[in-house]
Amino acid sequence: MATEETLVLIKPDGVARGLTGAILARVEAKGYSLVDLRLVEPDRARLEQHYAEHAGKPFYEPLVEFMMSGPSVAIRLAGNRVIEGFRSLAGTTDPTTAAPGTIRGDLGRDWGLKVQQNLVHGSDSPESAVRELQIWFG
Ligand code: DAT
Ligand code: MG
Protein backbone atom coordinates (compact mmCIF):
# COMPACT_ATOMS: atom_id res chain seq x y z
CA MET A 1 0.00 0.00 0.00
CA ALA A 2 1.24 3.48 -0.86
CA THR A 3 2.20 5.69 2.06
CA GLU A 4 -0.72 7.80 3.26
CA GLU A 5 -0.70 11.56 2.68
CA THR A 6 -2.56 14.42 4.35
CA LEU A 7 -2.94 18.15 3.93
CA VAL A 8 -1.61 20.22 6.82
CA LEU A 9 -2.05 23.98 6.95
CA ILE A 10 -0.23 26.30 9.31
CA LYS A 11 -2.94 28.93 9.47
CA PRO A 12 -2.39 32.73 9.37
CA ASP A 13 -2.14 32.98 13.17
CA GLY A 14 0.63 30.38 13.26
CA VAL A 15 2.62 32.09 10.51
CA ALA A 16 2.06 35.59 11.95
CA ARG A 17 3.15 34.49 15.41
CA GLY A 18 6.37 33.01 14.07
CA LEU A 19 5.40 29.46 15.01
CA THR A 20 6.00 27.85 11.61
CA GLY A 21 9.33 26.40 12.70
CA ALA A 22 8.02 25.19 16.07
CA ILE A 23 5.09 23.43 14.41
CA LEU A 24 7.25 21.89 11.68
CA ALA A 25 9.69 20.69 14.34
CA ARG A 26 6.92 18.72 16.04
CA VAL A 27 5.80 17.19 12.75
CA GLU A 28 9.35 16.21 11.83
CA ALA A 29 10.13 14.91 15.32
CA LYS A 30 7.10 12.62 15.03
CA GLY A 31 8.78 11.18 11.93
CA TYR A 32 6.45 12.28 9.14
CA SER A 33 7.91 13.26 5.77
CA LEU A 34 7.57 16.63 4.10
CA VAL A 35 6.66 15.91 0.47
CA ASP A 36 5.84 19.47 -0.57
CA LEU A 37 5.54 22.77 1.28
CA ARG A 38 4.60 26.27 0.17
CA LEU A 39 3.61 29.66 1.52
CA VAL A 40 0.15 30.47 0.14
CA GLU A 41 -2.21 33.43 0.22
CA PRO A 42 -5.47 31.71 -0.74
CA ASP A 43 -8.31 33.60 -2.40
CA ARG A 44 -11.94 33.29 -1.31
CA ALA A 45 -12.77 30.74 -4.01
CA ARG A 46 -10.11 28.33 -2.77
CA LEU A 47 -11.22 28.71 0.85
CA GLU A 48 -14.88 28.20 -0.06
CA GLN A 49 -13.88 24.92 -1.70
CA HIS A 50 -11.72 23.93 1.23
CA TYR A 51 -14.39 24.70 3.86
CA ALA A 52 -17.44 23.68 1.78
CA GLU A 53 -18.65 21.34 4.55
CA HIS A 54 -19.02 24.34 6.90
CA ALA A 55 -20.92 26.67 4.49
CA GLY A 56 -23.91 28.21 6.26
CA LYS A 57 -22.60 27.65 9.80
CA PRO A 58 -22.34 30.73 12.05
CA PHE A 59 -18.55 30.58 12.15
CA TYR A 60 -18.14 30.08 8.39
CA GLU A 61 -17.76 33.72 7.27
CA PRO A 62 -15.39 34.72 10.12
CA LEU A 63 -13.40 31.56 9.37
CA VAL A 64 -12.99 32.41 5.69
CA GLU A 65 -12.11 36.04 6.55
CA PHE A 66 -9.53 34.86 9.07
CA MET A 67 -8.00 32.50 6.53
CA MET A 68 -7.60 35.43 4.12
CA SER A 69 -5.95 37.63 6.78
CA GLY A 70 -2.41 36.55 5.90
CA PRO A 71 -0.34 33.77 4.40
CA SER A 72 -0.61 30.14 5.43
CA VAL A 73 1.92 27.36 4.99
CA ALA A 74 0.49 24.40 3.08
CA ILE A 75 2.21 21.06 3.59
CA ARG A 76 1.83 17.73 1.82
CA LEU A 77 2.74 15.36 4.63
CA ALA A 78 3.34 11.63 4.30
CA GLY A 79 3.61 8.65 6.61
CA ASN A 80 1.81 5.56 7.80
CA ARG A 81 -1.52 6.67 9.40
CA VAL A 82 -0.47 10.31 9.03
CA ILE A 83 -4.08 11.53 8.80
CA GLU A 84 -5.06 10.45 12.29
CA GLY A 85 -1.52 10.95 13.57
CA PHE A 86 -1.37 14.59 12.62
CA ARG A 87 -4.83 15.27 14.06
CA SER A 88 -3.60 13.72 17.29
CA LEU A 89 -0.55 16.01 17.25
CA ALA A 90 -2.81 19.01 16.53
CA GLY A 91 -5.26 18.41 19.38
CA THR A 92 -8.96 19.17 19.53
CA THR A 93 -10.53 22.14 17.73
CA ASP A 94 -10.85 24.63 20.60
CA PRO A 95 -7.30 25.66 21.54
CA THR A 96 -8.32 26.72 25.05
CA THR A 97 -9.30 23.18 26.01
CA ALA A 98 -7.03 21.20 23.67
CA ALA A 99 -4.81 18.86 25.68
CA PRO A 100 -1.38 20.04 26.76
CA GLY A 101 1.24 18.31 24.64
CA THR A 102 -0.64 19.06 21.44
CA ILE A 103 0.10 21.92 19.02
CA ARG A 104 -3.18 23.66 19.81
CA GLY A 105 -2.98 22.89 23.52
CA ASP A 106 0.58 24.11 23.98
CA LEU A 107 0.71 27.02 21.54
CA GLY A 108 -2.90 28.15 21.08
CA ARG A 109 -5.52 29.91 23.17
CA ASP A 110 -8.59 32.05 22.59
CA TRP A 111 -7.86 35.60 21.58
CA GLY A 112 -11.44 36.79 22.18
CA LEU A 113 -13.89 33.99 21.28
CA LYS A 114 -11.92 33.16 18.15
CA VAL A 115 -11.91 29.38 18.06
CA GLN A 116 -10.96 29.66 14.39
CA GLN A 117 -7.49 30.83 15.43
CA ASN A 118 -6.27 27.36 16.25
CA LEU A 119 -2.97 27.39 14.37
CA VAL A 120 -3.31 24.34 12.15
CA HIS A 121 -5.57 22.34 9.87
CA GLY A 122 -5.29 18.63 9.16
CA SER A 123 -7.44 16.54 6.81
CA ASP A 124 -9.92 14.38 8.73
CA SER A 125 -10.24 11.32 6.41
CA PRO A 126 -8.61 9.75 3.34
CA GLU A 127 -11.38 11.26 1.16
CA SER A 128 -10.82 14.73 2.65
CA ALA A 129 -7.06 14.39 2.19
CA VAL A 130 -7.36 13.63 -1.53
CA ARG A 131 -9.85 16.46 -2.02
CA GLU A 132 -7.87 19.01 -0.01
CA LEU A 133 -4.47 18.12 -1.50
CA GLN A 134 -6.00 18.75 -4.92
CA ILE A 135 -7.28 22.16 -3.78
CA TRP A 136 -3.94 23.32 -2.33
CA PHE A 137 -1.39 21.52 -4.52
CA GLY A 138 -3.29 20.82 -7.75
P1 DAT B 1 -10.98 20.95 12.88
O1 DAT B 1 -10.13 22.07 12.35
O2 DAT B 1 -10.56 20.57 14.27
O3 DAT B 1 -11.10 19.79 11.93
P2 DAT B 1 -13.68 21.67 12.08
O4 DAT B 1 -13.40 21.02 10.78
O5 DAT B 1 -14.91 21.26 12.81
O6 DAT B 1 -12.44 21.55 13.08
O7 DAT B 1 -13.80 23.24 11.85
C1 DAT B 1 -12.96 23.89 10.93
C2 DAT B 1 -12.46 25.16 11.56
O8 DAT B 1 -13.55 26.04 11.82
C3 DAT B 1 -11.80 24.96 12.92
O9 DAT B 1 -10.44 24.66 12.81
C4 DAT B 1 -12.02 26.28 13.59
C5 DAT B 1 -13.35 26.73 13.02
N1 DAT B 1 -14.43 26.42 13.94
C6 DAT B 1 -15.00 25.21 14.17
N2 DAT B 1 -15.97 25.29 15.07
C7 DAT B 1 -16.04 26.60 15.43
C8 DAT B 1 -16.84 27.34 16.33
N3 DAT B 1 -17.79 26.77 17.06
N4 DAT B 1 -16.60 28.69 16.44
C9 DAT B 1 -15.64 29.30 15.70
N5 DAT B 1 -14.86 28.65 14.85
C10 DAT B 1 -15.04 27.32 14.70
MG1 MG C 1 -11.95 19.82 9.98
Side-chain angles (χ1 to χ4, degrees):
M1 198 179 98
T3 305
E4 189 171 90
E5 291 187 340
T6 194
L7 174 77
V8 170
L9 300 175
I10 302 175
K11 295 182 181 183
D13 56 334
V15 175
R17 289 178 56 206
L19 295 173
T20 300
I23 292 168
L24 284 174
R26 289 171 179 238
V27 167
E28 291 193 296
K30 183 79 171 177
Y32 296 130
S33 302
L34 305 178
V35 178
D36 201 349
L37 182 155
R38 56 177 74 156
L39 192 72
V40 193
E41 296 195 64
D43 61 12
R44 177 174 287 274
R46 184 185 299 203
L47 292 165
E48 287 182 350
Q49 263 190 291
H50 177 77
Y51 281 125
E53 66 174 309
H54 296 305
K57 295 181 185 172
F59 61 84
Y60 176 74
E61 191 53 36
L63 175 63
V64 170
E65 290 290 329
F66 162 62
M67 292 295 291
M68 289 194 299
S69 68
S72 289
V73 174
I75 304 154
R76 181 187 287 272
L77 193 66
N80 189 38
R81 297 175 70 196
V82 68
I83 294 172
E84 61 182 318
F86 177 77
R87 285 181 65 88
S88 178
L89 280 185
T92 51
T93 305
D94 181 347
T96 292
T97 54
T102 65
I103 293 166
R104 288 164 169 171
D106 285 350
L107 308 175
R109 47 158 288 197
D110 78 289
W111 302 94
L113 299 178
K114 290 175 180 165
V115 170
Q116 68 263 26
Q117 296 193 14
N118 59 7
L119 296 169
V120 291
H121 167 84
S123 306
D124 63 9
S125 67
E127 297 72 28
S128 298
V130 167
R131 193 181 76 84
E132 293 172 359
L133 284 166
Q134 176 63 32
I135 292 168
W136 292 83
F137 286 97

